[in-house]
């Protein structure tokens, strides 16, 4: 089960949007699980994945508390099945690169799921392998509202 929780007050976010993302993520999960797992995979053993949409100050605080880095980031994934994604970072990145902010935030959610499937992104090679799994899923499953 994948649940999305809104903990940010961005005007462009809505419960209906979160519901469509959750349905899309549930639909892509079997396809993700068919991919070879990475070395740190836990996704197949989880009963629940919780995705929290937060703002930059919140994700920066969590980043500082758990990863000793006080800056905002896009995604933080915990191996027990919690994913935090920043709607502020998604909106900023999308605006700078001419992208759809809803799709960018969905990409962050998929990114967290791919991390739970064991893929890492600490090196260019790891990042390339993660994106090779992530991007086709985003392209195929992003809900076009």
């Amino acid at each position: 089960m994948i649940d999305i929780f809104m903990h940010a007050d961005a005007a462009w976010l809505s419960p209906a949007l979160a519901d469509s993302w959750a349905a899309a993520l549930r639909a892509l999960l079997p396809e993700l699980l068919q991919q070879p797992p990475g070395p740190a995979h836990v996704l197949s053993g989880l009963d629940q994945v919780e995705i929290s949409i937060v703002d930059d100050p919140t994700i920066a605080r969590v980043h500082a508390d758990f990863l000793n880095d006080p800056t905002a980031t896009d995604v933080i994934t915990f191996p027990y099945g919690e994913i935090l994604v920043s709607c502020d970072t998604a909106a900023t990145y999308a605006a700078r690169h001419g992208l759809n902010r809803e799709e960018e935030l969905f990409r962050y959610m998929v990114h967290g799921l791919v991390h739970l499937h064991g893929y890492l992104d600490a090196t260019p090679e790891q990042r390339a392998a993660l994106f090779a799994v992530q991007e086709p899923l985003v392209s195929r499953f992003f809900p076009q509202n």
Side-chain angles (χ1 to χ4, degrees):
M1 176 62 76
I2 297 174
D3 290 313
I4 297 176
F5 300 96
M6 301 268 204
H7 299 287
D9 291 328
W12 57 277
L13 297 174
S14 70
L17 187 56
D19 289 345
S20 70
W21 284 327
L25 293 170
R26 288 183 205 112
L28 75 72
L29 197 55
E31 191 168 311
L32 173 56
L33 290 170
Q34 289 177 359
Q35 298 295 318
H41 68 282
V42 297
L43 183 59
S44 62
L46 295 173
D47 293 327
Q48 179 81 22
V49 175
E50 293 183 3
I51 299 173
S52 292
I53 299 172
V54 300
D55 57 18
D56 274 354
T58 301
I59 207 161
R61 189 169 45 255
V62 173
H63 203 200
D65 290 349
F66 290 92
L67 298 168
N68 203 28
D69 182 344
T71 62
T73 189
D74 50 1
V75 182
I76 298 175
T77 306
F78 294 98
Y80 54 84
E82 184 178 3
I83 300 169
L84 278 72
V85 295
S86 173
C87 63
D88 293 342
T89 297
T92 300
Y93 185 88
R96 284 187 187 148
H97 295 91
L99 302 171
N100 176 298
R101 65 185 174 201
E102 291 85 358
E103 184 174 0
E104 188 64 14
L105 190 56
F106 181 76
R107 175 174 286 107
Y108 296 174
M109 295 176 202
V110 174
H111 188 88
L113 290 173
V114 176
H115 271 312
L116 290 175
H117 195 48
Y119 287 77
L120 306 173
D121 58 4
T123 68
E125 295 80 16
Q126 290 173 335
R127 212 171 359 270
L130 187 148
F131 289 162
V133 172
Q134 170 186 296
E135 288 308 306
L137 294 171
V138 172
S139 295
R140 184 158 173 232
F141 291 95
F142 174 66
Q144 302 293 327
N145 295 330

